[in-house]
Amino acid sequence: MEYASAVILSTASAQHKAVYPAPAKPLTAEYTIYSGSLGDEQAPTKNDRKLAVEITGKAAKEIFDSLYPDVQGVSCSDEKGEQLRRKGRIWCAYSPSGGYRFFLGFNLRTGESISGGSC
């Protein structure tokens, strides 16, 4: 009788597994902790520490596809087919030679969102 109860409880438990409609997914990223400004990064200091994150690959494409429409009249290169998308301080780029890239950044001393990349 105990065995039957355990099977019933186990089956009922399996049927109530949580289903997440927006599951976490892996990503490929690189980050830099720096001071100064983008394009002129210096070693981080006690009072000036910023974080720049660049996500690439499948995750960057999914973010790019979610961050429409394209920004018009702005480009980072002369490469034909380049697309840029931006909302506030986050932005994505696509180029046929470089693929999809997503940038975000934070000031680690204030918690403020800052740009995480530049052309």
Side-chain angles (χ1 to χ4, degrees), residues 68-81:
Y68 53 85
D70 289 354
V71 175
Q72 300 300 314
V74 178
S75 65
C76 288
S77 72
D78 293 333
E79 185 174 3
K80 186 176 174 129

Side-chain angles (χ1 to χ4, degrees), residues 3-119:
Y3 176 74
S5 296
V7 170
I8 292 170
L9 288 175
S10 178
T11 303
S13 175
Q15 291 174 350
H16 293 298
K17 266 190 176 175
V19 177
Y20 297 104
K25 300 174 186 175
L27 58 82
T28 302
E30 292 184 353
Y31 71 94
T32 303
I33 297 176
Y34 67 98
S35 68
S37 59
L38 286 172
D40 188 26
E41 298 90 351
Q42 304 296 314
T45 67
K46 180 180 178 182
N47 296 320
D48 187 10
R49 288 174 108 57
K50 298 175 184 103
L51 171 68
V53 178
E54 178 181 352
I55 298 170
T56 57
K58 186 176 179 180
K61 181 185 184 327
E62 185 173 354
I63 296 166
F64 182 90
D65 291 344
S66 298
L67 198 63
Y68 53 85
D70 289 354
V71 175
Q72 300 300 314
V74 178
S75 65
C76 288
S77 72
D78 293 333
E79 185 174 3
K80 186 176 174 129
E82 176 187 65
Q83 295 173 270
L84 301 175
R85 295 183 178 177
R86 171 179 234 128
K87 295 285 188 256
R89 294 184 172 133
I90 60 171
W91 65 285
C92 285
Y94 168 76
S95 68
S97 65
Y100 292 92
R101 300 165 54 206
F102 173 67
F103 304 92
L104 68 151
F106 297 95
N107 181 319
L108 296 174
R109 291 294 168 241
T110 66
E112 174 187 18
S113 173
I114 60 175
S115 185
S118 62
C119 289

